[in-house]
């Protein structure tokens, strides 16, 4: 069974988002997503300063089998992208909720976060 | 879609081993167990066991069997000795490929042919349509046989733990018939689709699970793990082997695919001879090349190849080479551009330079 930490919010497209105390948020993909992708070989992330609407594609995660779009869970501006994934894309398979976080963002509309799935709702969707 | 997927005799074992099953050529097949890269590297460094029971088999039998095969195949099969196998293409009159196959000769008048799963019924109908007055039968034995491939540098030592057959006496593309793990009537051939050493075993379908379990148990201490179709694809691409529907197809001939060595123009006639001869002499309109990328992005089937701003081809297969740790692939490229050092491939809007390779990535 895949892990679904209780302290995160989720999208139906299998991204997770963690709201930080300073008003930013951290975003990655779930354990279920990495298992479905298989061996991850490449993660294409946006540049700092770019903005995305909720539901917009912010990057690509690629495995041996396929390339999949990454969807921004909320309207946000990128404040940091995890450059460590350039050299170690396999971290996505090993630490989907830890070392393989993908982007840190500044929320444009914090109310949107409340619309996302909680752990119980996401687990139920799997 | 309400297509019912066929299951191999090892279906329950795959489920028990935690395989991820996917539809492939009408079959429900394991794409991976523990992970494509891990399974790939096990085959390169130790050994992997593949269920390839989806592959089809046909028995060709009769007084004219050898002459019949020479007439419908590009390679020469009449010179094959009993106990030996040969790779060949079967072509249409226009030179396009009906399938690629391995032909095993049992006796002067009896052969077994291994067919691609997606083409098996088409192949059998095609062969039967060409019998004419020849004294030969084409028997559909797809359901009778299961197939296992044990591949990797330790394959022979592991297989030897389950059979008394003198494996060392089997040369490349040779085979013996005998008992494996208590199952009689197994065809054990030194062939494979990985670029590593190893064997393919054709066995009665009812014995498949017993033999697979015996091999996995015997091989476990030696690093043998079950491997799926995902690793099979990345292994064959590293080794430069074609896959029907990608590097060869009804629109890509053996000459275009770099398989001219399987086309014997010394034979006075065979289906496709004239078209293939014109291509071989005049040069085909496009050819298959192997390439690698200095990037992490994989160029996948259908991606467009450019020379400058002109589209000159398309990707046929693409994966990550676990051995080289970089993307590799094959592409069909228009004549005149196959040797170009300035080719690029468009991956989701980004043009990346590709390096054409004349040698397989793993030998």
């Amino acid at each position: 069974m895949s892990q679904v930490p209780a302290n995160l919010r989720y999208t139906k497209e299998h991204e997770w988002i963690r709201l930080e105390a300073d008003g930013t948020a951290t975003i990655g993909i779930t354990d279920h997503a990495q298992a479905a992708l298989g061996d991850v070989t490449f993660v294409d992330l946006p540049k700092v300063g770019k903005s995305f609407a909720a539901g917009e594609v912010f990057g690509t995660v690629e495995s041996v089998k396929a390339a999949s779009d990454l969807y921004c869970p909320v309207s946000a501006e990128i404040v940091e992208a995890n450059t460590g994934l350039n050299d170690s894309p396999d971290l996505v398979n090993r630490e989907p909720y830890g070392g393989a976080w993908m982007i840190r963002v500044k929320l444009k509309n914090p109310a949107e976060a409340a619309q996302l799935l909680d752990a119980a709702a996401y687990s139920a969707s799997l | 879609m309400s297509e019912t997927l066929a299951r191999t005799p090892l279906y329950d074992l795959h489920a028990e081993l935690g395989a991820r099953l996917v539809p492939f050529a009408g079959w429900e097949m394991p794409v991976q167990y523990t992970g494509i890269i891990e399974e790939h590297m096990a085959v390169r460094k130790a050994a992997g066991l593949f269920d390839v029971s989806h592959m089809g088999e046909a028995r060709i039998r009769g007084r004219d069997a050898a002459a019949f095969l020479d007439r419908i195949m590009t390679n020469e099969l009449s010179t094959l000795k009993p106990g030996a196998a040969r790779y060949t293409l079967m072509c249409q009159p226009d030179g396009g490929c009906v399938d690629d196959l391995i032909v095993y000769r049992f006796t002067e008048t009896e052969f077994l042919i291994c067919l691609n799963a997606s083409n098996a019924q088409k192949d059998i109908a095609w062969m039967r349509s060409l019998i004419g007055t020849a004294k030969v039968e084409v028997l559909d034995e797809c359901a009778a046989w299961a197939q296992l491939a044990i591949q990797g540098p330790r394959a022979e030592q592991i297989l030897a733990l389950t059979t008394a057959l003198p494996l060392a006496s089997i040369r490349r593309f040779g085979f013996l018939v005998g008992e494996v793990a208590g199952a009689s009537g197994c065809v054990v051939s030194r062939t494979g689709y990985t670029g590593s050493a190893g064997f393919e075993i054709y066995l009665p379908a009812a014995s498949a699970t017993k033999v697979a379990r015996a091999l996995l148990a015997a091989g476990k201490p030696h690093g043998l793990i079950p491997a799926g179709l995902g690793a099979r694809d990345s292994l064959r691409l590293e080794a430069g082997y074609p896959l029907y529907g990608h590097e060869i197809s009804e629109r890509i001939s053996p000459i275009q695919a770099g398989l001219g060595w399987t086309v014997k123009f010394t034979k006075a006639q065979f289906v496709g001879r004239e078209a293939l001869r014109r291509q071989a002499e005049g040069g085909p309109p496009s050819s298959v090349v192997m390439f690698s990328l200095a990037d992490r992005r994989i160029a996948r089937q259908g991606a467009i190849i450019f020379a400058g701003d002109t589209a000159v081809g398309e990707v046929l297969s693409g994966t990550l080479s676990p051995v080289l740790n970089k993307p590799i692939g094959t592409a069909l490229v228009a004549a005149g551009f196959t040797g170009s050092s300035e080719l690029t491939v468009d991956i989701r809007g980004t043009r990346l330079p590709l390096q054409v390779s004349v040698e397989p990535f793993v030998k």
Side-chain angles (χ1 to χ4, degrees), chain B residues 66-67 69-70 75-82 84-86 105 108 111 264 266-267:
Chain B
L69 292 174
D70 268 356
N75 211 332
E76 191 164 34
L77 286 318
S78 56
T79 54
L80 199 56
K81 293 191 169 63
R86 195 164 284 166
R105 185 169 207 165
E108 281 303 305
F111 298 80
K264 302 301 183 199
T266 47
K267 294 192 293 179

Side-chain angles (χ1 to χ4, degrees), chain A residues 8-114:
Chain A
L8 306 177
R9 293 277 182 155
Y10 300 90
T11 67
K12 289 195 302 289
E13 289 79 24
H14 311 289
E15 288 85 14
W16 58 260
I17 177 166
R18 185 174 65 228
L19 303 171
E20 313 289 359
D22 62 1
T24 65
T26 307
I27 293 167
I29 65 167
T30 66
D31 189 33
H32 174 85
Q34 70 75 21
L37 286 165
D39 296 319
V40 171
T41 57
F42 178 72
V43 184
D44 194 14
L45 296 176
K47 291 197 167 59
V48 169
K50 282 203 77 171
S51 288
F52 297 91
E56 199 179 342
V57 173
F58 72 86
T60 310
V61 58
E62 194 164 343
S63 71
V64 177
K65 284 183 297 183
S68 305
D69 288 331
L70 296 165
Y71 296 94
C72 204
V74 291
S75 303
E77 179 185 331
I78 308 294
V79 295
E80 190 180 358
N82 186 353
T83 51
L85 296 179
N86 291 336
D87 292 330
S88 304
D90 53 313
L91 262 185
V92 176
N93 295 116
R94 291 185 280 121
E95 302 176 20
Y97 299 114
W101 64 273
M102 291 177 174
I103 50 175
R104 286 191 215 286
V105 300
K106 192 157 66 189
L107 301 187
K108 297 199 162 167
N109 180 2
E112 286 173 350

Side-chain angles (χ1 to χ4, degrees), chain B residues 42-109:
Chain B
V43 170
R44 291 282 180 248
K45 294 187 163 157
L49 183 70
F50 301 83
D51 175 16
V52 285
S53 301
H54 60 309
M55 303 289 281
E57 295 84 9
R59 189 180 297 263
I60 313 296
R61 188 166 71 185
R63 193 186 70 195
D64 297 335
F68 173 67
L69 292 174
D70 268 356
R71 175 160 61 83
I72 67 170
M73 305 287 184
T74 60
N75 211 332
E76 191 164 34
L77 286 318
S78 56
T79 54
L80 199 56
K81 293 191 169 63
R86 195 164 284 166
Y87 176 76
T88 184
L89 277 295
M90 182 160 70
C91 284
Q92 307 165 155
D94 69 359
C97 297
V98 178
D99 205 357
D100 66 336
L101 323 112
I102 295 182
V103 178
Y104 297 78
R105 185 169 207 165
F106 289 133
T107 68
E108 281 303 305
T109 57

